[in-house]
């Protein structure tokens, strides 16, 4: 399975919450994404895929 470089689907929403409803990442993961190791990124990917609640997995599947 191939993935995009980032979970971002350009629908960012962290207003009043710590988790982006678009990609499912914590706002600190979003901020640090370019500095994270491949292992850290993989851990984030696995978590957001397991949770499957972000818009990238529900409302906007075509953007993923």
């Amino acid at each position: 399975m191939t993935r995009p470089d980032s979970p971002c689907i350009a629908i960012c929403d962290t207003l009043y919450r710590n988790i982006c409803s678009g990609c499912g990442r914590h706002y600190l993961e979003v901020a640090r994404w370019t500095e994270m190791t491949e292992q850290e990124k993989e851990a984030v990917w696995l978590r957001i895929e397991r949770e499957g609640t972000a818009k990238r997995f529900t409302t906007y599947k075509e953007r993923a």
Side-chain angles (χ1 to χ4, degrees):
M1 175 168 94
T2 60
R3 295 182 184 128
D5 294 332
S6 166
C8 182
I9 59 168
I11 300 175
C12 305
D13 179 15
T14 55
L15 188 63
Y16 306 117
R17 64 183 131 239
N18 291 328
I19 303 294
C20 177
S21 63
C23 70
R25 293 179 291 171
H26 189 276
Y27 76 92
L28 293 174
E29 294 168 336
V30 173
R32 286 194 58 244
W33 191 257
T34 59
E35 302 166 4
M36 293 173 84
T37 66
E38 290 304 314
Q39 292 81 12
E40 290 172 321
K41 290 178 181 180
E42 180 67 13
V44 172
W45 270 109
L46 291 174
R47 188 193 78 246
I48 65 173
E49 288 171 346
R50 182 179 61 248
E51 291 171 355
T53 56
K55 290 178 182 172
R56 83 173 340 272
F57 302 108
T58 58
T59 310
Y60 297 101
K61 291 180 187 179
E62 73 280 357
R63 289 186 181 218

